[in-house]
Amino acid sequence: MLLSSAPVMSHMGDARVLQGTTTAFTQHSSTTGHDYLIQVALPQVAPPQEGYPVLLVLDGNRHLDLFTAARDILGRRGYDKAPSDLAIVAVGYAGETDGQAKAVRDIVTKLRLKDFTPPLTTGTAPEGTGGGEDFLDYLTQALPPELASRYPLDLARPALVGHSLGGLFALHAQQKAPEAFGAIFAISPSLWWRQENDPASWPLRLACSETAGPVYIAAGGREQSPQPRRQDPERDRLRVQRAMIDNAHEHARQLREHCPQAAVQWRLFEGEDHGSVMWPAARAVMERLVRPR
């Protein structure tokens, strides 16, 4: 599955007005049945002739501000440096806002569980899971033409970043459609979901493609350790059992071994937990994507 390569966009004449702004639209997917909130943060520079390079951010409602700040700060490595030309496309769910009611949060949790989990190779996926193929189809087929009609973007091979279940999906996308993405960033990927629900296919049999782009896998150094201060023995048991660090590290090792052309990198952020890891990870992502100007 290839993302549509966008020519010089019809909205190129509006680019000067849009520079440095964040705009949004909603899009319904007939494939997944979900309504997505798409937020696009354009950089403060004119678009290159081929359009702005793109970073697709999963859980966009949650992570857009973080990645936009990282881009804008790291894009200026001194007062005389030009801003980055990277556009950030955040993919989230319509109706999801900060401070939302618990009922809305619960709905979003169900939607992302469906979208971010891949179909099982054996057995039957738990109810409400396994929609990763449909979501991948949305990202690679339905979303790009809509983006191309609105913004001056280079959509040939955008980078993709996902965290937690989003990281699990990012690694699934890397295996199923390596030609569609220029780089894959999987932060604290929830590989335990595959391990628990598809044990007959664990460990995963990783494929390799000549078209595979760079893959960056990372986790927080505290994600696999008990947290005595929380006094939650069941949660501590799951943290150890789900082996976030070990599974992510092993996936990186196997992918590097089977697919050396993918330029696989592994990073452990010491002292960080499952949530806080996104702070240093956002900087690491931008350091690899922000181009010298």
Side-chain angles (χ1 to χ4, degrees), residues 31 128 187 190:
T31 304
I187 312 303
S190 296

Side-chain angles (χ1 to χ4, degrees), residues 64-86:
L64 172 64
D65 290 346
L66 174 62
F67 280 98
T68 301
R71 176 198 65 188
D72 294 344
I73 293 171
L74 293 175
R76 290 182 176 274
R77 297 181 181 273
Y79 69 91
D80 58 341
K81 301 296 191 298
S84 166
D85 63 355
L86 181 70

Side-chain angles (χ1 to χ4, degrees), residues 201-237:
S201 298
W202 186 267
L204 298 175
R205 301 170 185 80
L206 301 181
C208 185
S209 168
E210 292 298 324
T211 62
V215 180
Y216 182 88
I217 303 174
R222 297 176 57 203
E223 293 195 60
Q224 203 168 298
S225 305
Q227 296 178 311
R229 285 189 294 180
R230 288 195 174 186
Q231 297 183 342
D232 189 342
E234 177 59 18
R235 185 181 180 90
D236 286 344
R237 184 188 67 80

